[in-house]
Amino acid sequence: DGGITQSPKYLFRKEGQNVTLSCEQNLNHDAMYWYRQDPGQGLRLIYYSQIVNDFQKGDIAEGYSVSREKKESFPLTVTSAQKNPTAFYLCASSPLGLTNEKLFFGSGTQLSVL
Amino acid sequence: EDQVTQSPEALRLQEGESSSLNCSYTVSGLRGLFWYRQDPGKGPEFLFTLYSAGEEKEKERLKATLTKKESFLHITAPKPEDSATYLCAVRLWGAGSYQLTFGKGTKLSVIP
């Protein structure tokens, strides 16, 4: 079945540690996105990528980094510079173009600080 | 200032009690308005896209409508399995058109 796979489901970070969240899609979508969700808040865009080897910052990119070496993969690294990393992280993908604009989401990764 | 405001924040309904959720937006140049359903601990699931004022879309017990300033998600005779958080998002024309801007959501609880 086609879809977006995020792993792990739960992740714990120690202070000063970098952690990487995985996102893989087999939908053949060009665009991929990372959103952060906090309780009582709307989803906020961290980074997005429309093509391999290219990505742009979203509204809250500080303390995060990404790579897009393959069309199928868009990993997110939460660095030690992100002082409040506890949140639910959602990866999404979409085709490009005017007629297929909806985002397909993965099942999320809950990141907590030890 | 929030560009997308959803109300109410939470709504409790008895099974079979119809109601509506509201999503108002203050942006101009709307390219599309999206409704998603999100269950606890899971990613949002797409429901509808609306593109122009007057447009309506239906799926089972849900109907979404759009005006120039807001959208409504009408729930007719809800069942307990409709309990979820419903998210509204907008996409704009021009710079930033890659991005969906989300509201904070309405948490719906349907009591048997």
Side-chain angles (χ1 to χ4, degrees):
Chain A
D1 289 337
I4 301 176
T5 302
Q6 289 188 241
S7 62
K9 180 66 175 175
Y10 300 96
L11 187 59
F12 298 90
R13 193 192 87 168
K14 296 179 181 179
E15 193 168 339
Q17 184 183 41
N18 294 351
V19 294
T20 297
L21 284 61
S22 171
C23 178
E24 302 278 334
Q25 55 101 356
N26 60 4
L27 300 169
N28 198 33
H29 288 168
D30 291 300
M32 296 188 74
Y33 312 79
W34 275 105
Y35 282 87
R36 170 178 172 145
Q37 187 174 35
D38 294 278
Q41 299 294 318
L43 275 67
R44 292 181 290 169
L45 183 66
I46 305 173
Y47 269 98
Y48 76 103
S49 169
Q50 293 182 302
I51 194 170
V52 173
N53 292 323
D54 187 49
F55 47 83
Q56 284 75 42
K57 294 180 179 180
D59 298 324
I60 55 166
E62 185 174 351
Y64 301 97
S65 66
V66 293
S67 63
R68 187 88 185 274
E69 297 178 1
K70 299 186 300 181
K71 186 176 182 178
E72 303 79 21
S73 179
F74 192 40
L76 173 73
T77 296
V78 183
T79 75
S80 57
Q82 173 50 246
K83 298 306 179 187
N84 185 24
T86 297
F88 191 53
Y89 290 85
L90 288 160
C91 179
S93 70
S94 72
L96 293 177
L98 294 178
T99 59
N100 292 296
E101 299 182 323
K102 65 185 179 185
L103 268 60
F104 296 76
F105 284 88
S107 56
T109 292
Q110 176 64 50
L111 176 62
S112 303
V113 177
L114 290 176
Chain B
E1 179 183 337
D2 289 345
Q3 295 181 307
V4 182
T5 303
Q6 292 189 245
S7 62
E9 291 184 11
L11 181 63
R12 286 171 60 93
L13 299 174
Q14 291 293 321
E15 185 173 359
E17 179 186 2
S18 301
S19 187
S20 296
L21 313 182
N22 178 262
C23 172
S24 63
Y25 55 94
T26 57
V27 298
S28 58
L30 182 71
R31 179 168 167 171
L33 186 140
F34 300 76
W35 282 99
Y36 283 84
R37 169 194 170 126
Q38 186 176 24
D39 293 302
K42 296 190 177 181
E45 176 186 341
F46 172 78
L47 293 174
F48 304 108
T49 307
L50 302 166
Y51 293 102
S52 57
E55 189 174 0
E56 298 182 354
K57 290 193 176 174
E58 289 188 63
K59 179 181 180 181
E60 297 181 353
R61 295 177 293 280
L62 300 177
K63 183 169 85 172
T65 62
L66 181 64
T67 71
K68 289 186 177 181
K69 289 297 180 186
E70 59 190 348
S71 176
F72 292 94
L73 184 65
H74 307 278
I75 303 176
T76 302
K79 298 181 177 181
E81 53 261 43
D82 294 321
S83 298
T85 296
Y86 290 85
L87 303 175
C88 169
V90 299
R91 175 172 276 170
L92 308 178
W93 287 101
S97 62
Y98 54 85
Q99 183 172 353
L100 286 187
T101 300
F102 283 83
K104 296 179 181 180
T106 293
K107 184 176 181 180
L108 174 66
S109 301
V110 182
I111 312 302

